[in-house]
Amino acid sequence: MKFTLSWLKDHLETDASLAEIVERLTAIGLEVEHVDDKAGLKPFVIAKVLTAVQHPDADRLRVLTVDTGNGKPPVQVVCGAPNARAGLIGAFAAPGTYVPGIDVTLSVGKIRGVESHGMMCSERELQISDEHNGIIDLPEDAPVGTSFAAYAHLDDPVIEINLTPNRPDATSVYGIARDLAASGLGRLTGGAIMPHAGEGLCPVKVTIEAPELCPGFALRLVKGVKNGPSPKWLQQRLIAIGLRPISALVDITNYVTFDRGRPLHVFDAKKVAGNLVVRRARDGEKVLALDGREYRLTPEMCVIADDNGVESIAGIMGGEHSGCDENTTDVLIESALWDPITTARTGRALGIITDARYRFERGVDPEFMVPGVELATKLVLDFCGGTPSEMEVAGYAGHKAKVVTFPLSEVKRLTGIEVPREEALGILTRLGFEPQGSGDVVKVKVPSWRPDVDGKADLVEEVMRIHGVDNIAPQPLTSHDAVNGKILTTLQVRTRAAKRALAVRGMMEAVTWSFIPAKHAELFGGGQNGLKLANPIAADMSDMRPSLLPGLISAAQRNADRGIGDVALFEVSGTYEGDTPEQQRRVAAGVRRGTAKLEGSGRSWAGNSGPVGVFDAKADAIAALEACGAPVDRLQIEPGGPAWYHPGRSGTIKLGPKTVLGTFGEFHPKTLDGLDASGPLCGFEVFVDAVPEPKAKPTRTKPKLELSPFQAVKRDFAFVVDKTVEAGTLVRAALAADKKLVTGVSVFDVFEGASLGEAKKSIAIEVSIQPVEKTLTDEDFEALAKRIVENVSKQTGGVLRA
């Protein structure tokens, strides 16, 4: 919302300075975003060039004699502008003047041996535009010796405030002045609007077929107008706030929109066929709007129509056909009330942003509908002449004011500030509220221009923003005598832990859409059986995701399409298999593409690092489960997984025969084709909410973590086993050999060959041994190795490879 200082003072009688007004606006909740103040241009005066001769030592310079209008002899100025000539009238800066465009304070100096006492300025040097091809060239009647800023109307600061959506009353200069007056910064003026006696009934009648979209409609005909340019002062105000003056009739509607927050529309009465009807648009109906574009309408939109069809998109923009131009002699002034929700939806659907829509979708003052026509009538008669008819008002049943029960003690309870009863009621009264009653509890009638006020908390806010929120004294946080209890839920703790664990493994966190295309959902168990959106925001976002993997795979492919093929992404979020809470799960998922393996992962039985595969996904899944508190030493890995994984390169992680904690593997080629993805891709999903709750400890005392002072040792073993034996079974057997000394077992090689025999394979493991009581001797290691071999042989039938 923009306005000039002089415009504000049309409604606010005050001696406050610009700085005081700006500070007060922000203090009462109308945050000032920007102030365009050209106060620095006051020293520049209008001057006339009397003579212009060639500089004796420079081809591109001229020596000017300039009359500055101060009654003193002309001054000599050296100028290089191509349009410098005798008789030119422009803006002059005397020595000692600061020129903002070149960041220089002028002084008397010599240019190629000729003294120069000041300069004639261009628009860029004054920072009023980027024009610098020549010095400012003013009309011949420009008053020499007067202030250039005053002549160019650059001495009127422009203030821009940032409005929150709940303050429709502040979309007008008058409403802003009312708030400032209520805060004690001046007196509110210029509010009275006198009605006009019309001559005869308005010949154009109004029928409202959709009263739910239009609660009221006011119309007046003014005959015999002459539509020319609007007055200079009005044009200057519109230009200052970024609007282009068009004609007197159009400029009046723009002025009233900003001055009083009351959008209007004017029809050329001779272009209107018959009476006006407010109705829903018909499906496929079109209208050529004032912006020169044709819009296709739907029955959800409200329009104003005549016998020829649609003449205006209600509350948003008028039609080109009935618009006013220089030939208009009879004008219909329209002021109506439009449903805010319908206006917002229509504007969004058509992609139209106008000042009228901005106000109607927030809610305009219903009681100013008729006065708005009266104010516009006065301006039309003043600027264009004419004879008004009586006003036609349709549908408006009057405004029923809201009444809020307001305990004054709520101010202290909600803010901690004791505001005296008289001051609180005085603030509300100055803002237009009507408090009634005595004692601590009063009834407050809400004014028609404040649709945002509904309850007692809103009234407390009104009192405090005028009283001053800076009066709220800072209070130190109270200290607690006891240790704070648990704040985060178990699911929140696990979510954070899983994110940290996956990030440590070199994966980047991604946030993907919860909505995915139907064909992607079908690939991951959704589709027809999944959760579909009734009103999707886009055709390719029709289903709630049954899995995190489609979004992550698509994100990895987008990176690959842009040259980053080796990526590792993860996400911890929700999936949706149905509309019940039990079908909504918290999942940690991740994908790796290309050669994005975990760096520094130690020895690999596969040799040199190659493309990512099933074991990379398995390691990520186990790490996420371990971070969530799952008992990883008791997990069971079963071959195979859901249909979107490769059947021979995937697995399912279980805790017992029924509890599935996750899946992992390389993706099926059909899955990648369906997602338009390619390249080596593996991934996993673990169900964070399926991890069992940790058992309650019998005591709060935490066990001590004792670090062994003895050096850890690693030993390698290779066993020949049947091909059907799983590596995990062998690892568990080695771990069980001595749970105190054996701290870890990992597979680093798998070999199959004719030398081993038919249906045989070799699995090589690395066993980590950590002494805790003493340094182990060779005899101790031999005994431990024997137990490991015996345990593996007993449980797997394996034989130590020679």
Side-chain angles (χ1 to χ4, degrees), residues 191-214:
I193 298 175
M194 299 301 295
H196 292 78
E199 296 184 7
L201 298 176
C202 180
V204 179
K205 303 303 178 183
V206 179
T207 302
I208 302 178
E209 294 182 355
E212 71 279 8
L213 305 183
C214 178

Side-chain angles (χ1 to χ4, degrees), residues 396-419:
Y396 187 58
H399 173 69
K400 185 178 180 181
K402 290 181 287 188
V403 177
V404 178
T405 301
F406 182 39
L408 293 168
S409 59
E410 285 292 283
V411 177
K412 176 66 180 296
R413 187 181 74 85
L414 294 178
T415 67
I417 293 292
E418 188 73 53
V419 180

Side-chain angles (χ1 to χ4, degrees), residues 281-441:
R282 300 185 178 93
D283 195 18
E285 208 166 19
K286 297 180 180 180
V287 61
L288 180 63
L290 287 171
D291 60 358
R293 298 172 59 190
E294 186 177 70
Y295 295 96
R296 187 182 183 89
L297 309 177
T298 66
E300 291 77 25
M301 302 173 183
C302 185
V303 298
I304 305 172
D306 62 4
D307 293 347
N308 290 330
V310 177
E311 294 292 353
S312 176
I313 306 172
I316 297 178
M317 185 177 289
E320 178 74 25
H321 173 262
S322 59
C324 295
D325 54 32
E326 66 278 3
N327 300 317
T328 299
T329 57
D330 298 341
V331 61
L332 286 168
I333 305 173
E334 168 253 305
S335 175
L337 300 174
W338 306 110
D339 176 58
I341 300 299
T342 303
T343 304
R345 286 176 177 170
T346 301
R348 190 180 300 116
L350 298 179
I352 305 176
I353 300 175
T354 62
D355 294 318
R357 172 195 164 186
Y358 180 84
R359 286 158 177 80
F360 279 124
E361 66 185 11
R362 284 161 173 77
V364 300
D365 182 3
E367 290 291 87
F368 201 77
M369 181 183 74
V370 171
V373 176
E374 299 288 4
L375 176 58
T377 300
K378 177 183 183 304
L379 296 173
V380 169
L381 297 179
D382 290 345
F383 302 161
C384 308
T387 304
S389 71
E390 293 182 10
M391 195 181 306
E392 170 82 6
V393 180
Y396 187 58
H399 173 69
K400 185 178 180 181
K402 290 181 287 188
V403 177
V404 178
T405 301
F406 182 39
L408 293 168
S409 59
E410 285 292 283
V411 177
K412 176 66 180 296
R413 187 181 74 85
L414 294 178
T415 67
I417 293 292
E418 188 73 53
V419 180
R421 182 180 189 276
E422 294 73 17
E423 182 182 351
L425 297 181
I427 289 173
L428 293 176
T429 302
R430 293 195 299 273
L431 288 172
F433 296 85
E434 298 180 23
Q436 300 169 350
S438 58
D440 179 66
V441 180

Side-chain angles (χ1 to χ4, degrees), residues 572-594:
V572 184
S573 189
T575 61
Y576 310 88
E577 298 173 3
D579 55 1
T580 63
E582 294 77 16
Q583 294 174 300
Q584 300 175 16
R585 311 198 67 175
R586 175 69 58 167
V587 178
V591 298
R592 291 182 183 270
R593 189 186 187 281

Side-chain angles (χ1 to χ4, degrees), residues 111-131:
I111 302 177
R112 293 290 186 92
V114 178
E115 278 195 350
S116 182
H117 298 260
M119 70 180 295
M120 300 294 291
C121 302
S122 67
E123 290 187 356
R124 189 169 73 171
E125 287 161 345
L126 299 188
Q127 290 187 333
I128 58 179
S129 81
D130 291 331
E131 178 60 43

